[in-house]
Amino acid sequence: MRKLVYFIAATLDGYIAGPDGSDPTGPDGFWPVAQDYVQHLAQTYPETLPDPARKALGITAEGTHFDTILEGRRTYMIGVDAGIPDCYPHLRHLVFTRTLTESPAPGVELVATDPVAKVRELKREEGKDIWLCGGGELAGALRGEIDRLIVKLAPLTVGSGTPLFSHKTAFEPTLYERTDAVLLDSGTIFLTYDRTAGEES
């Protein structure tokens, strides 16, 4: 069965964006984007780079991890507001929203139904794993369905902002086993955790 993988960048104090939810790696962002970070993504997770970055780097590889991306409306709108209505045309692209009624791009599928039910349906389909891109609210709603966490831990604290999981998420301790760790010279650590036996979604 396909896995739901929350592949996300986070600060040392557990935030994935600033208080306004804007792109932390954008032109006005606060996130350090080092060359070795971009190289590691390009070599190991090329499908997670947005289309403009893939074109700039000459990347055409499909990637080996994901063929589907899930986003909440706020995360998705960062690309739309930047003039890119489909940042991931190389992936099946689903956006969970009850407010958008018409997709801004032909390749973007809007989902207004229960995200848990939709993810369980996607897991039963053939294919590669499913990338949960964000944001924190959607991740909170899908927390019980997450099979793997890949946290790109930045050497940075911000104090407040959008948390890894929405504060509305219920208190429910869940154990994960660390299965990989890649430390980059620039300070970012790619940490991979799989849900432990007995904690399956």
Side-chain angles (χ1 to χ4, degrees), residues 64-118:
T64 58
H65 300 279
F66 312 114
D67 60 15
T68 303
I69 178 175
L70 311 182
E71 292 186 287
R73 181 188 60 81
R74 291 186 187 91
T75 302
Y76 170 64
M77 289 304 295
I78 292 172
V80 173
D81 292 342
I84 310 169
D86 188 357
C87 288
Y88 303 97
H90 51 286
L91 300 174
R92 182 181 176 189
H93 195 163
L94 285 76
V95 174
F96 289 83
T97 175
R98 290 188 173 90
T99 55
L100 289 178
T101 56
E102 186 173 339
S103 176
V108 175
E109 177 183 343
L110 303 183
V111 182
T113 54
D114 174 33
V116 170
K118 185 63 178 179

Side-chain angles (χ1 to χ4, degrees), residues 8 11 14 24 30 36 78 87 96 107 118 132 146 158 160 163 174 185:
I8 191 73
T11 64
F30 56 83
D36 61 354
I78 292 172
C87 288
F96 289 83
K118 185 63 178 179
L132 171 57
I146 294 171
V158 293
S160 66
T174 305
D185 289 340

Side-chain angles (χ1 to χ4, degrees), residues 2 9-11 34 41 44 48 53 62 72-73 76 81 116 132 153-154 156 200:
R2 304 166 80 189
T11 64
L41 287 176
T44 313
T48 66
E62 285 185 6
R73 181 188 60 81
Y76 170 64
D81 292 342
V116 170
L132 171 57
L153 192 65
L156 171 74
E200 287 83 359

Side-chain angles (χ1 to χ4, degrees), residues 67-194:
D67 60 15
T68 303
I69 178 175
L70 311 182
E71 292 186 287
R73 181 188 60 81
R74 291 186 187 91
T75 302
Y76 170 64
M77 289 304 295
I78 292 172
V80 173
D81 292 342
I84 310 169
D86 188 357
C87 288
Y88 303 97
H90 51 286
L91 300 174
R92 182 181 176 189
H93 195 163
L94 285 76
V95 174
F96 289 83
T97 175
R98 290 188 173 90
T99 55
L100 289 178
T101 56
E102 186 173 339
S103 176
V108 175
E109 177 183 343
L110 303 183
V111 182
T113 54
D114 174 33
V116 170
K118 185 63 178 179
V119 163
R120 288 177 179 173
E121 175 188 316
L122 291 170
K123 284 184 176 184
R124 290 191 295 268
E125 296 176 358
E126 294 294 324
K128 298 174 185 173
D129 287 340
I130 304 157
W131 171 25
L132 171 57
C133 179
E137 189 172 329
L138 180 60
L142 291 172
R143 185 168 170 265
E145 294 298 316
I146 294 171
D147 304 293
R148 176 172 291 160
L149 281 164
I150 301 177
V151 179
K152 299 170 282 181
L153 192 65
L156 171 74
T157 61
V158 293
S160 66
T162 303
L164 192 67
F165 294 100
S166 167
H167 290 311
K168 299 175 185 176
T169 307
F171 179 74
E172 188 178 318
T174 305
L175 290 175
Y176 289 82
E177 176 187 2
R178 182 177 59 79
T179 54
D180 193 28
V182 177
L183 174 61
L184 304 183
D185 289 340
S186 60
T188 295
I189 308 174
F190 282 67
L191 294 166
T192 301
Y193 295 92
D194 285 342

